[in-house]
């Protein structure tokens, strides 16, 4: 069994929906996980925010515009009158329900129910389209099997039992379509796996089914060696290890949801990143096998806050780090980078929800300095910290204002903290020296 996930752009236009049909129509049995059509989740989030702000007019305007896009797509996609009528009725009910939500009390469950509609719409439309085209496909509702536990981790036992039950009830299909991103929480309420979570859905399903391979189809030909939004001449990377992919996904490479490789890594199920717009391109294959050496890729993550915690009493004292970590633990705030000196600790976080409370607690025993608008630039490659060319990196960076460096935390990663205003220049400089110029680093 294969699991194929298609992102928002892949199902975001009539042309691309037809392309996806061709890609999946190869006679192999598969599960197809779909995102919402591109722009839909953002629009639904905005809609939900307007409801929270009791901006009813703006909220209604937002979904009217969205509904018009759906009407147009349906008109172009369906020639079968019965199926077209069925899809129009379904989409109409979804938008009617959204409309009635406008004047209700805004809660987390309401928000999650609203943002779930994108995947519910795309999968309904796509499954009926496949039916029109004569493909043997079944829609398996994700809310009938995908659930997270109290710690927001996939409830694998529940997922396996229920997914198998659904397969057994629909044994004759070739293609099983389901929603990415959405799930139930431990209380049985609608929830989700966070933005971009459809990738994670695909690998959770892949692991449960012990799939041959999980394919993530997007609009770029795999992981690139630098961020193509900021740097020219980036190249797709053909092979990555799970470790390398996990570091890149976490530290900013937008192509993959950070948790994607977790479910499949221990089972050694390959993850292949493919481009719907260029299906013949190799893409990136992520496995346990290590390929190449030296710096393989560079990625950047914004919205980082650096916290410097300084205590005169840290000198020769023990237990200082424990005290600090306990505070972050209590506020469920994870730390990304950390460096220490004898009298101070600098660390970074990306979730500032509890920053004020954390600062207040830290200030009881230390002085605290906070720097916002920082970016982590992450360099990834198998055992890069031992590579003979890696020290040259510091020469390259001599005129970049680096606030922190994490070197040696893992063998595959070097992280630099810079002001976001210096990010572009740093990425471009690294690109020139690492991948283009005289071979400072192979
Ligand atoms: N539709 C969701 C989002 O835009 C999930 C996904 O696309 O993976 O974040």
């Amino acid at each position: 069994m294969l699991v194929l996930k298609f992102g928002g752009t892949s199902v975001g236009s009539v042309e691309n929906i037809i392309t996806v049909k061709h890609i999946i129509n190869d006679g192999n049995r598969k599960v197809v996980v779909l995102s919402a059509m591109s722009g839909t989740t953002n629009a639904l989030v905005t809609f939900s925010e307007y409801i929270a702000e009791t901006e009813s007019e703006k909220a209604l305007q937002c979904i009217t515009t969205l509904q018009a896009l759906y009407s147009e797509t349906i008109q172009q996609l369906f020639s079968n009158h019965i199926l077209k009528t069925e899809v129009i009725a379904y989409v109409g009910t979804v938008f009617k329900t959204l409309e009635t939500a406008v004047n209700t009390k805004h809660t987390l469950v309401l928000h999650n129910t609203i943002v779930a509609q994108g995947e519910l719409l795309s999968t309904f439309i796509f499954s009926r389209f496949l039916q029109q085209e004569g493909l043997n496909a079944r829609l398996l509702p994700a809310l009938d099997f995908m659930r997270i536990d109290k710690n927001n981790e996939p409830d694998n036992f529940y997922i396996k039992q229920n997914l198998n039950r659904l397969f057994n009830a629909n044994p004759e299909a070739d293609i099983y379509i389901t929603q990415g991103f959405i799930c139930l929480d431990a209380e049985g309420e609608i929830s989700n796996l966070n933005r971009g979570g459809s990738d994670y859905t695909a690998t959770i399903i892949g692991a449960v089914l012990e799939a041959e391979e999980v394919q993530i189809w997007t609009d770029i030909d795999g992981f690139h060696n630098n961020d193509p939004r900021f740097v020219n001449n980036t190249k797709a990377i053909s092979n990555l290890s799970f470790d390398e992919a996990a570091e890149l996904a976490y530290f900013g490479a937008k192509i993959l949801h950070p948790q994607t490789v977790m479910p499949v890594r221990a089972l050694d199920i390959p993850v292949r990143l493919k481009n719907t717009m260029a299906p013949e391109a190799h893409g990136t294959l992520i496995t346990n096998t290590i390929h190449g050496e030296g710096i393989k890729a560079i990625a950047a993550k914004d919205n980082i806050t650096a916290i410097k915690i300084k205590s005169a009493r840290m000198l020769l004292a023990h237990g200082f780090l424990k005290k600090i970590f306990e505070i972050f633990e209590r506020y469920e705030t994870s730390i990304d980078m950390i460096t220490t000196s004898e009298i101070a600790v600098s660390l970074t976080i990306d979730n500032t929800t509890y920053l004020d409370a954390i600062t207040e607690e830290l200030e009881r025993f230390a002085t605290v300095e906070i720097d916002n608008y920082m970016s982590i630039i992450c360099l990834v490659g198998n055992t890069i910290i031992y590579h003979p060319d890696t020290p040259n990196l510091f020469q390259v960076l001599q005129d970049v204002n680096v606030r922190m460096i994490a070197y040696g935390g893992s063998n595959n990663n070097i992280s630099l903290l810079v002001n976001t205003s210096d990010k572009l220049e740093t990425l471009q400089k690294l690109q020139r020296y690492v991948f283009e110029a005289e071979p400072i680093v192979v």
Side-chain angles (χ1 to χ4, degrees):
M1 182 76 88
L2 291 173
V3 179
L4 279 71
K5 175 260 168 173
F6 290 89
T9 333
S10 303
V11 288
S13 70
V14 169
E15 200 191 337
N16 292 351
I17 292 174
I18 295 169
T19 307
V20 172
K21 180 199 87 176
H22 291 307
I23 292 170
I24 63 175
N25 192 15
D26 60 1
N28 291 322
R29 256 187 123 208
K30 54 179 71 71
V31 177
V32 173
V33 176
L34 298 187
S35 294
M37 291 170 72
S38 47
T40 299
T41 312
N42 284 347
L44 292 171
V45 168
T46 308
F47 171 68
S48 170
E49 284 166 358
Y50 281 139
I51 298 179
E53 292 158 9
T54 60
E55 293 272 12
S56 313
E57 277 303 305
K58 286 184 182 160
L60 285 171
Q61 181 57 48
C62 184
I63 49 164
T64 308
T65 314
L66 191 62
Q67 187 167 14
L69 291 174
Y70 277 86
S71 303
E72 215 179 294
T73 307
I74 296 164
Q75 286 307 331
Q76 290 175 36
L77 207 53
F78 287 93
S79 48
N80 178 308
H81 184 69
I82 298 171
L83 290 168
K84 190 192 248 181
T85 312
E86 192 192 353
V87 172
I88 290 173
Y90 178 82
V91 174
T93 315
V94 168
F95 279 95
K96 196 97 233 118
T97 316
L98 288 173
E99 230 177 274
T100 51
V102 169
N103 292 314
T104 55
K105 189 171 166 337
H106 192 265
T107 60
L108 180 63
V109 175
L110 180 75
H111 175 83
N112 288 342
T113 309
I114 289 171
V115 298
Q117 302 310 312
E119 273 70 13
L120 293 168
L121 285 165
S122 65
T123 48
F124 191 91
I125 296 170
F126 189 67
S127 66
R128 295 307 183 269
F129 172 65
L130 293 190
Q131 200 175 326
Q132 168 182 287
E133 303 298 297
L135 273 68
N136 184 13
R138 291 284 169 290
L139 181 57
L140 303 183
L143 298 180
D144 287 355
F145 67 90
M146 188 57 78
R147 192 170 82 168
I148 47 174
D149 63 19
K150 281 201 225 84
N151 302 316
N152 293 333
E153 296 293 338
D155 184 341
N156 286 321
F157 181 75
Y158 178 96
I159 298 168
K160 190 169 193 148
Q161 270 200 328
N162 286 285
L163 195 52
N164 283 332
R165 178 180 53 76
L166 290 173
F167 274 129
N168 293 336
N170 298 278
E172 71 292 354
D174 297 326
I175 300 170
Y176 296 92
I177 298 157
T178 192
Q179 298 85 15
F181 177 60
I182 65 173
C183 61
L184 295 180
D185 66 14
E187 270 80 50
E189 300 285 5
I190 295 194
S191 186
N192 60 62
L193 304 172
N194 297 324
R195 294 303 306 269
S198 299
D199 299 342
Y200 194 26
T201 304
T203 50
I204 294 169
I205 295 176
V208 161
L209 298 179
E210 296 186 27
E212 259 159 73
E213 182 171 291
V214 176
Q215 298 179 356
I216 309 286
W217 290 77
T218 111
D219 52 4
I220 181 165
D221 49 354
F223 266 115
H224 274 221
N225 60 359
N226 205 331
D227 194 325
R229 290 169 305 172
F230 306 117
V231 177
N232 294 329
N233 306 324
T234 62
K235 290 200 179 67
I237 304 169
S238 49
N239 291 279
L240 281 174
S241 68
F242 283 119
D243 281 346
E244 291 167 337
E247 302 259 24
L248 279 176
Y250 186 72
F251 285 111
K254 285 274 173 285
I255 181 167
L256 209 60
H257 181 277
Q259 279 155 297
T260 307
V261 297
M262 266 163 50
V264 288
R265 168 199 225 139
L267 299 167
D268 204 4
I269 298 172
V271 177
R272 196 184 288 273
L273 308 188
K274 293 282 288 176
N275 186 354
T276 306
M277 313 327 148
E280 66 296 337
H282 176 278
T284 301
L285 181 63
I286 306 168
T287 60
N288 267 327
T289 315
I290 288 159
H291 291 260
E293 53 172 32
I295 298 173
K296 237 185 220 177
I298 302 166
K301 183 174 178 176
D302 295 337
N303 299 319
I304 302 294
T305 298
I307 308 172
K308 188 184 282 168
I309 306 151
K310 201 168 161 187
S311 163
R313 264 174 290 155
M314 187 177 165
L315 199 62
L316 300 176
H318 55 82
F320 187 65
L321 283 177
K322 179 170 181 256
K323 249 167 128 176
I324 294 173
F325 286 149
E326 272 171 358
I327 294 172
F328 284 87
E329 160 70 19
R330 213 169 319 121
Y331 289 98
E332 294 180 357
T333 301
S334 65
I335 296 167
D336 287 333
M337 276 177 80
I338 176 155
T339 55
T340 63
S341 81
E342 189 48 42
I343 55 155
V345 176
S346 273
L347 49 82
T348 69
I349 58 171
D350 63 359
N351 175 1
T352 51
T353 317
Y354 300 110
L355 183 58
D356 289 346
I358 290 171
T359 310
E360 205 185 302
E361 293 210 26
L362 291 170
E363 278 174 340
R364 289 186 195 145
F365 59 90
T367 54
V368 179
E369 274 172 43
I370 302 206
D371 289 318
N372 295 309
Y373 310 112
M374 309 296 290
S375 297
I376 292 177
I377 297 196
C378 152
L379 299 110
V380 165
N382 174 50
T383 60
I384 50 172
I385 65 156
Y386 301 121
H387 195 274
D389 287 331
T390 298
N392 293 330
L393 191 67
F394 297 97
Q395 248 167 293
V396 175
L397 292 170
Q398 60 190 331
D399 31 70
V400 176
N401 186 7
V402 179
R403 161 81 166 72
M404 274 169 76
I405 295 184
Y407 184 100
S410 102
N411 293 346
N412 304 329
N413 168 294
I414 299 169
S415 293
L416 313 167
L417 186 73
V418 300
N419 289 319
T420 300
S421 54
D422 293 332
K423 177 186 79 171
L424 195 66
E425 200 196 328
T426 313
L427 285 177
Q428 289 170 346
K429 218 173 232 167
L430 287 168
Q431 173 75 10
R432 276 201 306 279
Y433 287 101
V434 176
F435 299 122
E436 287 171 11
E438 295 304 297
I440 287 179
V441 180
V442 184

